[in-house]
Amino acid sequence: LEGRTIHPALHFAEGWASVGVVDRTDGETAWIVVTSAGNRYVAREISQALFPKPLDYPELMGRWPQEDLQAFLHGNRDASFAEMAALLVSKARTLFELKRPQEIALLTAWAIATYFHPVFHTFSRLEITGERGSGKSKLQALLAQTCFNGLFMVNPTPAVLFRLAAALRHALCLDEIESLASEDHKELVAILNSGYKQGGTVARVEGEERQVVYYP
């Protein structure tokens, strides 16, 4: 990491990548950065290489089980893309009945792609529609558990939305969005409307020195 500045949650560079996880070290909750080379760093010990500052989000604890993390660090990387896709397709088929079988494949591809979304210039959104009681929330709950840093939320404020996105690079599963049509949510809608592509930012004045901070 010498001479580099990387995103603490998910970072891609030529020939390697890194991912951040909420883990336990020395009996305390801590942000850990794991690289594709099999190296593990405690975020507070490499703070000079990280931007923005890691966000220790407790809800993400356990997303990478300890035994699997240790296996990866010791070179056990046998799970393939096809195996992961097959597992997701199988699980989704046991939980949902969709009109077209292709929709299961679409959901699976989208969920896996969230682990690579920083390499895309744009990233498509899923719009989940259906009658009341048809399982829309259940489907989003599944996506939240399988997508990268997936969070299932209802009516977040704009500040919550852009701060979490900047820090966690998470997949956001928004439920009960009918109310977004109201005038009270126009700022939130503006952020969502521009957030599917790279380059957009939300500017805010922060801190005692009143500096302008740009949240991607």
Side-chain angles (χ1 to χ4, degrees):
L1 298 180
E2 186 176 354
R4 296 183 182 271
T5 299
I6 68 170
H7 195 286
L10 188 62
H11 189 86
F12 292 91
E14 186 175 354
W16 68 283
S18 66
V19 63
V21 295
V22 183
D23 200 0
R24 295 194 69 82
T25 180
D26 299 328
E28 298 180 357
T29 302
W31 191 270
I32 306 296
V33 175
V34 179
T35 71
S36 54
N39 295 314
R40 176 184 182 275
Y41 302 94
V42 179
R44 62 175 176 268
E45 297 174 357
I46 58 166
S47 58
Q48 73 282 354
L50 303 179
F51 184 83
K53 181 181 178 181
L55 178 64
D56 293 342
Y57 201 74
E59 190 174 334
L60 298 179
M61 172 72 77
R63 287 293 179 98
W64 197 348
Q66 268 293 327
E67 58 272 23
D68 292 341
L69 174 56
Q70 291 302 317
F72 176 84
L73 293 174
H74 287 88
N76 182 5
R77 309 176 190 188
D78 295 333
S80 68
F81 185 98
E83 287 172 319
M84 295 306 302
L87 284 170
L88 277 174
V89 167
S90 176
K91 187 64 175 179
R93 283 176 175 168
T94 65
L95 295 173
F96 305 103
E97 292 184 14
L98 301 179
K99 290 183 178 180
R100 294 173 294 180
Q102 300 96 317
E103 291 174 340
I104 293 290
L106 171 64
L107 291 168
T108 297
W110 192 87
I112 293 175
T114 62
Y115 288 80
F116 307 96
H117 78 268
V119 305
F120 295 100
H121 292 294
T122 62
F123 197 91
S124 59
R125 296 245 174 87
L126 291 179
E127 181 182 11
I128 300 171
T129 60
E131 298 178 1
R132 183 177 294 276
S134 61
K136 300 187 297 296
S137 297
K138 183 179 179 182
L139 179 54
Q140 291 218 69
L142 173 67
L143 288 171
Q145 291 298 314
T146 53
C147 294
F148 180 75
N149 282 355
L151 298 179
F152 184 36
M153 307 183 82
V154 177
N155 196 25
T157 66
V160 167
L161 189 69
F162 64 73
R163 282 182 168 84
L164 287 183
L168 301 177
R169 290 190 163 175
H170 65 293
L172 177 63
C173 299
L174 276 177
D175 200 16
E176 304 293 342
I177 64 170
E178 294 85 354
S179 63
L180 293 183
S182 70
E183 188 69 15
D184 295 336
H185 292 95
K186 62 181 181 180
E187 184 181 7
L188 185 63
V189 171
I191 296 171
L192 292 172
N193 282 343
S194 65
Y196 70 95
K197 57 186 176 181
Q198 287 193 28
T201 60
V202 177
R204 289 292 185 271
V205 177
E206 304 276 13
E208 295 181 0
E209 297 181 1
R210 312 304 293 166
Q211 292 184 335
V212 178
V213 178
Y214 296 91
Y215 293 91

